[in-house]
Coordinates of all heavy atoms in Angstrom, one line a residue:
D1 N 6.4 23.5 -3.3 CA 6.6 23.1 -4.7 C 8.0 23.0 -5.1 O 8.4 22.2 -5.9 CB 5.8 24.0 -5.7 CG 4.3 23.8 -5.6 OD1 3.9 22.8 -5.0 OD2 3.6 24.7 -6.0
S2 N 8.9 23.8 -4.5 CA 10.3 23.8 -4.9 C 10.9 22.5 -4.4 O 11.9 22.0 -5.0 CB 11.0 25.0 -4.3 OG 11.0 25.0 -2.9
W3 N 10.4 22.0 -3.2 CA 10.9 20.6 -2.8 C 10.6 19.5 -3.8 O 11.4 18.7 -4.0 CB 10.4 20.3 -1.4 CG 10.9 21.0 -0.3 CD1 11.8 22.1 -0.3 CD2 10.8 20.7 1.1 NE1 12.1 22.5 1.0 CE2 11.5 21.6 1.9 CE3 10.0 19.7 1.8 CZ2 11.5 21.6 3.2 CZ3 10.1 19.7 3.1 CH2 10.8 20.7 3.8
S4 N 9.4 19.6 -4.4 CA 9.0 18.6 -5.3 C 10.0 18.7 -6.6 O 10.3 17.7 -7.2 CB 7.6 18.9 -5.8 OG 7.1 17.9 -6.6
E5 N 10.3 19.9 -7.0 CA 11.2 20.1 -8.1 C 12.6 19.5 -7.7 O 13.3 18.9 -8.5 CB 11.4 21.5 -8.5 CG 10.1 22.1 -9.1 CD 10.1 23.6 -9.4 OE1 11.2 24.2 -9.3 OE2 9.1 24.2 -9.6
K6 N 13.1 19.8 -6.6 CA 14.4 19.4 -6.1 C 14.5 18.0 -5.8 O 15.6 17.3 -6.1 CB 14.8 20.3 -4.9 CG 16.3 20.1 -4.5 CD 16.7 21.0 -3.4 CE 18.1 20.9 -3.0 NZ 18.5 21.8 -1.9
Y7 N 13.5 17.4 -5.2 CA 13.5 16.0 -4.8 C 12.4 15.2 -5.4 O 11.8 14.4 -4.8 CB 13.4 15.9 -3.2 CG 14.4 16.7 -2.5 CD1 14.1 17.9 -1.9 CD2 15.7 16.3 -2.4 CE1 15.0 18.7 -1.2 CE2 16.7 17.0 -1.7 CZ 16.3 18.2 -1.1 OH 17.2 19.0 -0.4
G8 N 12.2 15.4 -6.7 CA 11.1 14.8 -7.4 C 11.0 13.3 -7.3 O 9.9 12.7 -7.3
N9 N 12.1 12.7 -7.2 CA 12.1 11.2 -7.1 C 11.7 10.7 -5.7 O 11.5 9.5 -5.4 CB 13.4 10.6 -7.5 CG 14.6 11.1 -6.6 OD1 14.5 12.2 -6.0 ND2 15.6 10.3 -6.5
R10 N 11.7 11.6 -4.7 CA 11.4 11.2 -3.3 C 10.3 12.0 -2.7 O 9.9 11.7 -1.5 CB 12.7 11.4 -2.5 CG 13.8 10.5 -2.9 CD 15.1 10.7 -2.1 NE 14.8 10.5 -0.7 CZ 15.5 10.9 0.3 NH1 16.7 11.5 0.0 NH2 15.3 10.7 1.5
F11 N 9.8 13.1 -3.3 CA 8.9 14.0 -2.7 C 7.9 14.5 -3.7 O 8.3 15.0 -4.8 CB 9.7 15.2 -2.0 CG 8.8 16.1 -1.2 CD1 8.6 15.9 0.1 CD2 8.3 17.3 -1.9 CE1 7.8 16.8 0.8 CE2 7.5 18.2 -1.1 CZ 7.3 17.9 0.2
T12 N 6.6 14.5 -3.4 CA 5.6 14.9 -4.3 C 4.6 15.8 -3.6 O 4.2 15.5 -2.5 CB 4.8 13.7 -4.9 OG1 5.7 12.8 -5.5 CG2 3.8 14.1 -5.9
V13 N 4.2 16.9 -4.2 CA 3.3 17.8 -3.7 C 2.0 17.7 -4.5 O 2.0 17.8 -5.7 CB 3.7 19.3 -3.8 CG1 2.6 20.3 -3.3 CG2 4.9 19.5 -2.9
V14 N 0.9 17.4 -3.9 CA -0.4 17.4 -4.5 C -1.4 18.3 -3.7 O -1.5 18.2 -2.5 CB -1.0 15.9 -4.5 CG1 -2.4 16.0 -5.1 CG2 -0.1 15.0 -5.2
H15 N -1.9 19.3 -4.4 CA -2.8 20.3 -3.8 C -4.3 19.7 -3.8 O -4.8 19.5 -4.9 CB -2.8 21.6 -4.5 CG -1.4 22.2 -4.5 ND1 -0.9 22.9 -3.5 CD2 -0.4 22.1 -5.4 CE1 0.3 23.3 -3.8 NE2 0.6 22.9 -5.0
A16 N -4.8 19.4 -2.7 CA -6.2 18.8 -2.6 C -7.1 20.0 -2.3 O -7.0 20.6 -1.2 CB -6.3 17.8 -1.6
L17 N -7.9 20.4 -3.2 CA -8.8 21.6 -3.1 C -10.2 21.1 -3.0 O -10.9 20.7 -3.9 CB -8.7 22.5 -4.3 CG -7.2 22.9 -4.7 CD1 -7.2 23.6 -6.0 CD2 -6.6 23.7 -3.5
S18 N -10.8 21.1 -1.7 CA -12.1 20.6 -1.5 C -13.2 21.5 -1.8 O -14.4 21.1 -2.0 CB -12.2 20.1 -0.1 OG -11.9 21.1 0.8
N19 N -13.0 22.8 -1.8 CA -14.1 23.8 -2.0 C -14.0 24.6 -3.3 O -14.9 25.5 -3.5 CB -14.1 24.7 -0.8 CG -14.5 24.1 0.5 OD1 -15.4 23.2 0.5 ND2 -13.9 24.5 1.6
E20 N -13.1 24.2 -4.1 CA -12.9 25.0 -5.4 C -13.9 24.4 -6.4 O -14.1 23.2 -6.6 CB -11.5 24.8 -5.9 CG -10.4 25.4 -5.0 CD -10.6 26.9 -4.8 OE1 -10.8 27.6 -5.8 OE2 -10.4 27.3 -3.7
K21 N -14.5 25.4 -7.1 CA -15.5 25.0 -8.2 C -14.7 24.5 -9.4 O -15.1 23.6 -10.1 CB -16.4 26.1 -8.6 CG -17.2 26.6 -7.4 CD -18.5 27.2 -7.8 CE -19.3 27.8 -6.7 NZ -19.7 26.9 -5.7
R22 N -13.6 25.1 -9.7 CA -12.7 24.7 -10.8 C -11.4 24.4 -10.3 O -10.7 25.2 -9.7 CB -12.7 25.8 -11.9 CG -14.0 26.0 -12.6 CD -14.0 27.1 -13.6 NE -12.7 27.0 -14.3 CZ -12.3 27.9 -15.2 NH1 -13.1 28.9 -15.5 NH2 -11.2 27.9 -15.9
V23 N -10.9 23.2 -10.6 CA -9.5 22.8 -10.2 C -8.6 22.7 -11.4 O -9.1 22.2 -12.5 CB -9.6 21.4 -9.5 CG1 -8.2 20.9 -9.2 CG2 -10.5 21.4 -8.3
P24 N -7.5 23.3 -11.3 CA -6.6 23.3 -12.5 C -6.3 21.9 -13.0 O -6.2 20.9 -12.2 CB -5.3 23.9 -12.0 CG -5.7 24.7 -10.8 CD -6.9 24.0 -10.2
S25 N -6.3 21.7 -14.3 CA -6.0 20.4 -14.9 C -4.5 20.1 -14.9 O -3.8 20.5 -15.8 CB -6.6 20.3 -16.3 OG -6.0 21.2 -17.1
S26 N -4.1 19.5 -13.8 CA -2.7 19.2 -13.6 C -2.6 18.0 -12.6 O -3.4 17.8 -11.8 CB -1.9 20.4 -13.1 OG -0.7 20.0 -12.6
N27 N -1.5 17.2 -12.7 CA -1.3 16.2 -11.8 C -1.0 16.7 -10.4 O -1.1 15.9 -9.4 CB -0.2 15.2 -12.2 CG -0.6 14.4 -13.4 OD1 -1.7 14.2 -13.7 ND2 0.4 14.0 -14.1
D28 N -0.7 18.0 -10.2 CA -0.4 18.6 -9.0 C -1.6 19.0 -8.2 O -1.5 19.4 -7.0 CB 0.5 19.8 -9.1 CG 1.8 19.5 -9.7 OD1 2.2 18.3 -9.8 OD2 2.5 20.5 -10.2
Y29 N -2.8 18.8 -8.8 CA -4.1 19.3 -8.1 C -5.1 18.1 -8.1 O -5.1 17.3 -9.0 CB -4.7 20.4 -8.8 CG -3.8 21.7 -8.7 CD1 -2.8 22.0 -9.6 CD2 -4.1 22.6 -7.7 CE1 -2.1 23.2 -9.4 CE2 -3.4 23.7 -7.5 CZ -2.3 24.0 -8.4 OH -1.6 25.1 -8.2
H30 N -5.8 18.1 -7.0 CA -6.9 17.1 -6.9 C -8.1 17.8 -6.4 O -8.1 18.6 -5.4 CB -6.5 16.0 -5.8 CG -7.6 15.1 -5.4 ND1 -8.1 14.1 -6.2 CD2 -8.3 15.1 -4.3 CE1 -9.0 13.5 -5.6 NE2 -9.2 14.1 -4.4
G31 N -9.3 17.6 -7.1 CA -10.5 18.2 -6.6 C -11.2 17.3 -5.7 O -11.4 16.1 -6.0
G32 N -11.6 17.8 -4.5 CA -12.2 17.0 -3.5 C -11.3 16.8 -2.3 O -10.2 17.2 -2.2
R33 N -11.9 16.1 -1.3 CA -11.1 15.8 -0.1 C -10.2 14.7 -0.2 O -10.3 13.8 -1.1 CB -12.1 15.5 1.1 CG -13.0 16.7 1.4 CD -13.7 16.5 2.7 NE -14.6 17.6 3.0 CZ -14.2 18.7 3.7 NH1 -13.0 18.8 4.0 NH2 -15.0 19.6 3.9
I34 N -9.2 14.6 0.6 CA -8.2 13.5 0.6 C -8.9 12.3 1.1 O -9.6 12.3 2.1 CB -7.0 13.8 1.5 CG1 -6.3 15.1 1.0 CG2 -6.1 12.6 1.6 CD1 -5.3 15.6 2.0
D35 N -8.8 11.2 0.4 CA -9.4 9.9 0.7 C -8.4 8.8 0.6 O -7.3 9.0 0.1 CB -10.7 9.7 -0.1 CG -10.5 9.7 -1.6 OD1 -9.3 9.6 -2.0 OD2 -11.4 9.8 -2.3
E36 N -8.9 7.6 0.9 CA -8.0 6.4 0.8 C -7.4 6.2 -0.6 O -6.3 5.9 -0.8 CB -8.7 5.2 1.3 CG -7.8 4.0 1.5 CD -8.5 2.8 2.1 OE1 -9.4 3.0 3.0 OE2 -8.2 1.7 1.7
A37 N -8.3 6.4 -1.6 CA -7.8 6.2 -3.0 C -6.7 7.2 -3.3 O -5.7 6.8 -4.0 CB -9.0 6.4 -4.0
L38 N -6.8 8.5 -2.9 CA -5.7 9.4 -3.2 C -4.4 9.1 -2.4 O -3.3 9.2 -3.0 CB -6.2 10.9 -2.8 CG -5.3 12.0 -3.2 CD1 -5.3 12.1 -4.8 CD2 -5.8 13.3 -2.6
I39 N -4.6 8.6 -1.2 CA -3.4 8.2 -0.4 C -2.8 7.0 -1.1 O -1.5 6.9 -1.3 CB -3.8 7.7 1.0 CG1 -4.3 9.0 1.8 CG2 -2.7 7.0 1.7 CD1 -4.9 8.7 3.1
M40 N -3.5 6.0 -1.6 CA -2.9 4.9 -2.3 C -2.3 5.3 -3.6 O -1.3 4.7 -4.0 CB -4.0 3.8 -2.6 CG -4.5 3.1 -1.3 SD -5.9 2.0 -1.5 CE -5.5 1.0 -2.9
K41 N -2.8 6.3 -4.3 CA -2.2 6.8 -5.5 C -0.8 7.4 -5.4 O 0.1 7.2 -6.2 CB -3.2 7.7 -6.2 CG -2.7 8.2 -7.5 CD -3.7 9.2 -8.2 CE -3.2 9.7 -9.5 NZ -4.2 10.5 -10.2
Y42 N -0.7 8.2 -4.3 CA 0.6 9.0 -4.2 C 1.6 8.6 -3.1 O 2.7 8.9 -3.1 CB 0.2 10.5 -3.9 CG -0.4 11.1 -5.1 CD1 -1.7 11.3 -5.3 CD2 0.5 11.5 -6.2 CE1 -2.2 11.9 -6.4 CE2 0.0 12.1 -7.3 CZ -1.4 12.3 -7.4 OH -1.9 12.9 -8.5
L43 N 1.1 7.8 -2.1 CA 2.0 7.4 -1.0 C 2.5 6.0 -1.2 O 1.8 5.2 -1.8 CB 1.3 7.5 0.3 CG 0.9 8.9 0.7 CD1 0.2 8.9 2.1 CD2 2.0 9.9 0.7
P44 N 3.8 5.8 -0.7 CA 4.3 4.4 -0.8 C 3.4 3.5 0.1 O 2.8 3.9 1.0 CB 5.7 4.5 -0.2 CG 5.9 5.9 0.2 CD 4.7 6.7 -0.1
P45 N 3.4 2.2 -0.2 CA 2.6 1.3 0.6 C 3.1 1.2 2.0 O 4.3 1.4 2.2 CB 2.7 -0.1 -0.1 CG 3.9 0.0 -0.9 CD 4.1 1.5 -1.3
P46 N 2.3 0.8 3.0 CA 2.8 0.7 4.4 C 3.9 -0.3 4.6 O 4.6 -0.2 5.6 CB 1.5 0.4 5.2 CG 0.5 0.0 4.2 CD 0.9 0.5 2.9
I47 N 4.1 -1.2 3.7 CA 5.2 -2.2 3.9 C 6.6 -1.6 3.7 O 7.6 -2.2 3.9 CB 5.0 -3.4 3.0 CG1 4.9 -3.0 1.5 CG2 3.7 -4.2 3.4 CD1 4.9 -4.2 0.6
D48 N 6.6 -0.4 3.1 CA 7.9 0.3 2.8 C 8.4 0.9 4.1 O 7.8 1.9 4.6 CB 7.7 1.3 1.7 CG 8.9 2.0 1.3 OD1 10.0 1.9 2.0 OD2 9.0 2.7 0.3
D49 N 9.4 0.3 4.7 CA 9.9 0.8 6.0 C 10.5 2.2 6.0 O 10.6 2.9 7.0 CB 10.9 -0.1 6.6 CG 10.2 -1.4 7.1 OD1 9.0 -1.4 7.5 OD2 10.9 -2.5 7.2
D50 N 10.9 2.7 4.7 CA 11.5 4.0 4.6 C 10.4 5.0 4.4 O 10.8 6.2 4.2 CB 12.4 4.0 3.4 CG 13.7 3.2 3.6 OD1 14.0 3.0 4.8 OD2 14.3 2.7 2.6
C51 N 9.2 4.7 4.4 CA 8.1 5.6 4.2 C 7.9 6.5 5.4 O 7.8 6.0 6.5 CB 6.8 4.8 3.9 SG 5.3 5.7 3.9
I52 N 7.8 7.8 5.2 CA 7.4 8.8 6.2 C 6.3 9.6 5.7 O 6.4 10.2 4.6 CB 8.6 9.7 6.6 CG1 9.8 8.8 7.1 CG2 8.2 10.7 7.7 CD1 11.1 9.6 7.4
I53 N 5.2 9.7 6.5 CA 4.0 10.5 6.1 C 3.9 11.7 7.2 O 3.9 11.4 8.4 CB 2.8 9.7 6.1 CG1 2.9 8.6 5.1 CG2 1.6 10.5 5.9 CD1 1.8 7.5 5.2
F54 N 3.8 12.9 6.7 CA 3.6 14.0 7.6 C 2.2 14.5 7.5 O 1.7 14.7 6.4 CB 4.6 15.2 7.2 CG 6.0 14.9 7.3 CD1 6.7 14.4 6.2 CD2 6.7 15.0 8.5 CE1 8.1 14.0 6.4 CE2 8.0 14.7 8.6 CZ 8.7 14.2 7.6
V55 N 1.5 14.6 8.6 CA 0.1 15.0 8.7 C 0.1 16.4 9.3 O 0.6 16.6 10.4 CB -0.7 14.0 9.5 CG1 -2.2 14.5 9.5 CG2 -0.7 12.6 8.9
C56 N -0.5 17.3 8.6 CA -0.7 18.7 9.0 C -2.0 19.2 8.5 O -2.3 19.1 7.3 CB 0.5 19.5 8.6 SG 0.4 21.2 9.1
G57 N -2.7 19.9 9.4 CA -4.0 20.4 8.9 C -4.9 20.7 10.1 O -4.5 20.7 11.3
P58 N -6.2 21.0 9.8 CA -7.1 21.2 10.9 C -7.4 20.0 11.7 O -7.1 18.9 11.2 CB -8.4 21.7 10.1 CG -8.3 21.1 8.8 CD -6.8 21.0 8.5
P59 N -8.0 20.2 12.9 CA -8.2 19.0 13.8 C -9.0 17.9 13.1 O -8.8 16.7 13.3 CB -9.0 19.6 14.9 CG -8.5 21.0 15.0 CD -8.3 21.4 13.6
A60 N -10.0 18.2 12.2 CA -10.8 17.2 11.6 C -9.9 16.3 10.7 O -10.2 15.1 10.6 CB -11.9 17.8 10.8
M61 N -8.9 16.9 10.1 CA -8.0 16.1 9.2 C -7.2 15.1 10.1 O -7.1 14.0 9.7 CB -7.1 17.1 8.5 CG -6.2 16.4 7.5 SD -5.1 17.6 6.7 CE -5.5 17.2 5.0
Y62 N -6.7 15.6 11.2 CA -6.0 14.6 12.1 C -6.9 13.5 12.5 O -6.5 12.4 12.5 CB -5.5 15.4 13.3 CG -4.3 16.2 13.1 CD1 -4.4 17.6 12.9 CD2 -3.0 15.7 13.1 CE1 -3.3 18.4 12.7 CE2 -1.9 16.5 12.9 CZ -2.1 17.9 12.7 OH -1.0 18.7 12.5
D63 N -8.1 13.9 13.0 CA -9.1 12.9 13.5 C -9.3 11.8 12.4 O -9.4 10.6 12.7 CB -10.4 13.5 13.9 CG -10.2 14.4 15.1 OD1 -9.2 14.3 15.8 OD2 -11.1 15.2 15.4
T64 N -9.4 12.2 11.2 CA -9.7 11.3 10.1 C -8.5 10.4 9.7 O -8.7 9.3 9.6 CB -10.2 12.1 8.8 OG1 -11.4 12.8 9.1 CG2 -10.5 11.1 7.6
F65 N -7.4 11.1 9.6 CA -6.2 10.3 9.1 C -5.3 9.7 10.1 O -4.7 8.7 9.8 CB -5.4 11.2 8.1 CG -6.2 11.6 6.9 CD1 -6.7 12.8 6.7 CD2 -6.5 10.6 5.9 CE1 -7.5 13.1 5.6 CE2 -7.2 10.9 4.8 CZ -7.8 12.2 4.7
S66 N -5.1 10.3 11.2 CA -4.0 9.9 12.1 C -4.4 9.9 13.6 O -3.6 9.4 14.4 CB -2.8 10.7 11.9 OG -3.1 12.0 12.3
G67 N -5.6 10.3 13.9 CA -6.0 10.5 15.3 C -5.5 11.8 15.8 O -4.8 12.5 15.0
P68 N -5.9 12.3 17.0 CA -5.6 13.6 17.4 C -4.1 13.9 17.4 O -3.3 13.1 17.6 CB -6.1 13.6 18.9 CG -7.1 12.5 18.9 CD -6.7 11.5 17.9
R69 N -3.8 15.2 17.1 CA -2.5 15.6 16.9 C -1.7 15.4 18.3 O -0.5 15.1 18.2 CB -2.5 17.1 16.6 CG -1.1 17.7 16.4 CD -1.3 19.2 16.0 NE 0.0 19.8 16.1 CZ 0.1 21.1 16.1 NH1 -0.9 21.9 16.0 NH2 1.4 21.7 16.2
T70 N -2.3 15.6 19.4 CA -1.7 15.5 20.7 C -1.5 14.1 21.1 O -0.8 13.8 22.1 CB -2.5 16.2 21.8 OG1 -3.9 15.7 21.7 CG2 -2.6 17.7 21.5
S71 N -2.0 13.1 20.4 CA -1.9 11.7 20.8 C -0.7 11.1 20.0 O -0.6 11.2 18.8 CB -3.2 10.9 20.5 OG -3.0 9.5 20.7
K72 N 0.1 10.3 20.8 CA 1.3 9.6 20.1 C 0.8 8.4 19.4 O 1.5 7.9 18.5 CB 2.3 9.3 21.1 CG 3.0 10.5 21.7 CD 4.2 10.1 22.6 CE 4.8 11.4 23.1 NZ 6.0 11.1 23.9
E73 N -0.4 7.9 19.7 CA -0.9 6.7 19.1 C -1.5 7.1 17.7 O -2.0 8.1 17.5 CB -2.0 6.1 20.0 CG -1.5 5.5 21.2 CD -2.6 4.8 22.0 OE1 -3.6 4.3 21.4 OE2 -2.5 4.8 23.2
L74 N -1.3 6.1 16.8 CA -1.9 6.3 15.5 C -3.2 5.7 15.4 O -3.5 4.7 16.0 CB -1.0 5.6 14.4 CG -1.4 5.7 13.0 CD1 -1.4 7.2 12.5 CD2 -0.5 4.9 12.1
D75 N -4.1 6.4 14.7 CA -5.5 6.0 14.6 C -6.0 6.4 13.2 O -5.3 7.0 12.4 CB -6.4 6.6 15.7 CG -7.7 5.8 15.9 OD1 -7.9 4.8 15.3 OD2 -8.5 6.3 16.7
G76 N -7.2 6.2 12.9 CA -7.8 6.7 11.7 C -7.4 5.9 10.4 O -7.0 4.7 10.5
V77 N -7.6 6.5 9.3 CA -7.5 5.9 8.0 C -6.0 5.4 7.8 O -5.9 4.2 7.3 CB -7.8 6.9 6.8 CG1 -7.4 6.4 5.5 CG2 -9.3 7.3 6.9
L78 N -5.0 6.1 8.2 CA -3.6 5.6 8.0 C -3.4 4.3 8.8 O -2.7 3.4 8.3 CB -2.7 6.7 8.3 CG -2.7 7.9 7.4 CD1 -1.7 9.0 7.9 CD2 -2.3 7.5 6.0
K79 N -3.9 4.3 10.0 CA -3.7 3.0 10.7 C -4.5 1.9 10.1 O -4.0 0.8 9.9 CB -4.2 3.2 12.2 CG -4.1 2.0 13.0 CD -4.6 2.2 14.4 CE -4.5 0.9 15.2 NZ -5.0 1.1 16.6
D80 N -5.7 2.2 9.6 CA -6.6 1.2 9.0 C -5.9 0.6 7.7 O -6.1 -0.5 7.3 CB -7.9 1.7 8.6 CG -8.8 2.0 9.8 OD1 -8.4 1.6 11.0 OD2 -9.8 2.8 9.7
M81 N -5.1 1.5 7.0 CA -4.4 1.1 5.8 C -3.1 0.3 6.1 O -2.5 -0.2 5.2 CB -4.1 2.3 5.0 CG -5.3 2.9 4.4 SD -5.0 4.4 3.4 CE -4.1 3.7 2.0
G82 N -2.7 0.3 7.4 CA -1.5 -0.6 7.7 C -0.3 0.2 8.1 O 0.8 -0.4 8.4
Y83 N -0.3 1.6 8.1 CA 0.8 2.4 8.5 C 1.0 2.3 10.0 O 0.0 2.0 10.7 CB 0.6 3.8 8.0 CG 0.7 4.0 6.5 CD1 -0.5 4.0 5.8 CD2 1.8 4.1 5.8 CE1 -0.6 4.2 4.5 CE2 1.8 4.2 4.4 CZ 0.6 4.3 3.8 OH 0.6 4.4 2.4
N84 N 2.2 2.6 10.5 CA 2.4 2.5 11.9 C 2.9 3.8 12.5 O 3.2 4.8 11.7 CB 3.4 1.4 12.3 CG 4.7 1.5 11.7 OD1 5.4 2.6 11.8 ND2 5.2 0.5 10.9
E85 N 3.1 3.9 13.8 CA 3.5 5.2 14.4 C 4.9 5.7 14.0 O 5.1 6.9 14.0 CB 3.5 5.0 16.0 CG 2.1 5.0 16.6 CD 1.5 3.6 16.7 OE1 2.2 2.6 16.2 OE2 0.4 3.5 17.2
Q86 N 5.7 4.8 13.6 CA 7.1 5.2 13.1 C 7.1 5.8 11.8 O 8.0 6.5 11.3 CB 8.0 4.0 13.2 CG 8.4 3.5 14.6 CD 7.3 2.7 15.3 OE1 6.6 2.0 14.6 NE2 7.1 3.0 16.5
Q87 N 6.0 5.6 11.0 CA 5.9 6.1 9.6 C 5.1 7.4 9.6 O 5.1 8.1 8.5 CB 5.2 5.1 8.7 CG 6.0 3.8 8.6 CD 5.2 2.7 7.9 OE1 4.1 2.4 8.3 NE2 5.7 2.2 6.8
V88 N 4.3 7.7 10.6 CA 3.4 8.9 10.5 C 3.8 9.9 11.6 O 3.9 9.6 12.8 CB 2.0 8.5 10.7 CG1 1.0 9.7 10.7 CG2 1.6 7.4 9.7
Y89 N 4.1 11.1 11.1 CA 4.4 12.3 12.0 C 3.3 13.3 12.0 O 2.9 13.7 10.9 CB 5.8 12.9 11.6 CG 6.9 12.0 11.9 CD1 7.3 11.0 10.9 CD2 7.6 12.1 13.0 CE1 8.3 10.2 11.1 CE2 8.7 11.2 13.2 CZ 9.1 10.3 12.3 OH 10.1 9.4 12.5
K90 N 2.8 13.7 13.1 CA 1.8 14.7 13.3 C 2.5 16.0 13.7 O 3.2 16.0 14.7 CB 0.8 14.3 14.3 CG 0.2 12.9 14.1 CD -0.7 12.5 15.2 CE -1.0 11.1 15.3 NZ -1.9 10.7 16.4
F91 N 2.3 17.1 13.0 CA 2.8 18.3 13.4 C 1.9 19.5 13.1 O 0.9 19.3 12.5 CB 4.2 18.6 12.8 CG 4.3 18.7 11.3 CD1 4.4 20.0 10.8 CD2 4.3 17.6 10.5 CE1 4.4 20.1 9.4 CE2 4.3 17.8 9.2 CZ 4.4 19.0 8.6

């Protein structure tokens, strides 16, 4: 959150809480899983060459959004949306 405060014009933190019964009413929180609509709301479009997306989470998250963490190839939702390997970092 401190990065969001320091670099607010270039960096945004959104907490996606998939199992919470009550989600705080704030733009910093999202109730439910990350989906294409949430990605479109907060991330720059894939045509923006300066766009960098960092993917981090459990294996199922990698499989859904970027393909396996150990694979250099991009797959999943981010590829389907038009992002490329130079824009997506898996760690």
Side-chain angles (χ1 to χ4, degrees):
D1 290 341
S2 64
W3 283 13
S4 187
E5 291 173 14
K6 187 173 181 179
Y7 304 104
N9 62 330
R10 298 178 55 198
F11 185 86
T12 302
V13 173
V14 177
H15 302 275
L17 307 173
S18 59
N19 293 322
E20 298 295 321
K21 298 206 186 301
R22 291 181 39 186
V23 176
S25 58
S26 165
N27 288 338
D28 296 344
Y29 291 88
H30 169 77
R33 296 192 180 275
I34 300 169
D35 58 14
E36 188 172 328
L38 190 65
I39 292 170
M40 288 173 50
K41 181 177 180 178
Y42 288 102
L43 297 182
I47 58 170
D48 184 348
D49 289 335
D50 291 336
C51 169
I52 299 175
I53 299 171
F54 296 94
V55 179
C56 179
M61 184 179 235
Y62 285 99
D63 292 345
T64 300
F65 293 106
S66 61
R69 180 178 170 197
T70 56
S71 173
K72 291 185 180 187
E73 292 183 28
L74 181 61
D75 200 3
V77 172
L78 293 173
K79 180 180 180 183
D80 293 345
M81 292 178 69
Y83 294 96
N84 62 54
E85 284 90 358
Q86 289 75 39
Q87 296 171 305
V88 179
Y89 291 85
K90 308 174 196 182
F91 66 100

